[in-house]
Amino acid sequence: MNMRATLHRYLQAHREALLWKLDGLDERQVRWPVTPTGTNLLGLVKHMASVEQGYFGEVFGREMPIPMPWSDEDAEPNADMWATVDESRESIVDMYRQVWVFADETITSRDLDAPGDVPWWGERVTLGEILVHVIAELARHAGHADIARETLDGEAGLRPTVSNLPDVEDSWWPDYRARLETVAEQATQRYSR
């Protein structure tokens, strides 16, 4: 099997999983911060658009096609992790899909050992290394999106056709969670001396 095609397939699967987590949610929900540090679904998408454009663009000497002022040196901290009122869900999703096309041009036009420079790391890298790095970052953020989505409305799963969860009735989950809470309390008493 072609390693570049395999890596690209995993990248695309995580991209689609991240966007899928927005499906069925309203404007408030996709923007709602679910953690003390403000993690929100639309912000994760905006962040990954910035990440992919940077790693598959600047690192390989390609002109960045989409202005992303939130990534400028003088931008507000964390500006890439949330969408402003003027940035619609559709505009953020569309931007990310445009970045996919741009990133895919880099991925398909170069060998895995093609060199690049990551100025913010101060290192020379290869396309293969960058693919692995971006897949890892995207998988991590897709995991954040899994938890954010479940926190927002209880929906969970790997992708639309595969939940990757046990095939049980919905009524099973509260008892399961209660059992885990009991175990956590018992373990605290046993091991926290």
Side-chain angles (χ1 to χ4, degrees), residues 39-55:
T39 300
N40 65 89
L41 291 169
L42 199 54
L44 291 170
V45 174
K46 182 177 176 180
H47 173 70
M48 282 312 305
S50 304
V51 166
E52 287 201 43
Q53 182 168 262
Y55 280 110

Side-chain angles (χ1 to χ4, degrees), residues 69-125:
W70 52 85
S71 296
D72 292 346
E73 286 184 31
D74 62 344
E76 172 187 339
N78 246 25
D80 67 325
M81 295 297 291
W82 60 282
T84 68
V85 171
D86 294 330
E87 295 169 328
S88 70
R89 172 201 321 226
E90 291 75 22
S91 71
I92 297 294
V93 169
D94 183 58
M95 174 188 59
Y96 191 31
R97 289 184 185 281
Q98 290 176 44
V99 168
W100 293 0
V101 172
F102 172 75
D104 290 352
E105 289 169 358
T106 301
I107 294 164
T108 59
S109 68
R110 290 169 167 76
D111 292 330
L112 286 180
D113 60 357
D117 288 297
V118 182
W120 49 94
W121 293 355
E123 290 183 27
R124 296 227 2 113
V125 295

Side-chain angles (χ1 to χ4, degrees), residues 55-74:
Y55 280 110
F56 294 115
E58 184 177 351
V59 168
F60 295 97
R62 295 189 64 209
E63 186 71 29
M64 308 279 230
I66 301 169
M68 296 186 177
W70 52 85
S71 296
D72 292 346
E73 286 184 31
D74 62 344

Side-chain angles (χ1 to χ4, degrees), residues 11 14 20 31 36 49 58 62 69 71 76 81 88 96 113 117 124 128 133 146 165 173 179 181 185 189-190:
L11 177 70
H14 289 306
W20 173 56
R31 296 166 184 273
E58 184 177 351
R62 295 189 64 209
S71 296
E76 172 187 339
M81 295 297 291
S88 70
Y96 191 31
D113 60 357
D117 288 297
R124 296 227 2 113
H133 175 78
D146 288 338
L165 296 168
W173 291 105
R179 190 169 83 230
E181 289 171 350
E185 293 296 337
Q189 291 174 2
R190 179 178 292 179

Side-chain angles (χ1 to χ4, degrees), residues 17 20-23 25 41 142-166 168 170 173 176:
W20 173 56
K21 292 300 174 174
L22 303 176
D23 286 357
L25 296 178
L41 291 169
H144 295 148
D146 288 338
I147 292 168
R149 179 66 190 255
E150 189 172 352
T151 300
L152 288 165
D153 72 350
E155 287 296 316
L158 182 62
R159 56 184 175 266
T161 58
V162 179
S163 76
N164 216 30
L165 296 168
V168 295
D170 288 344
W173 291 105
Y176 172 72

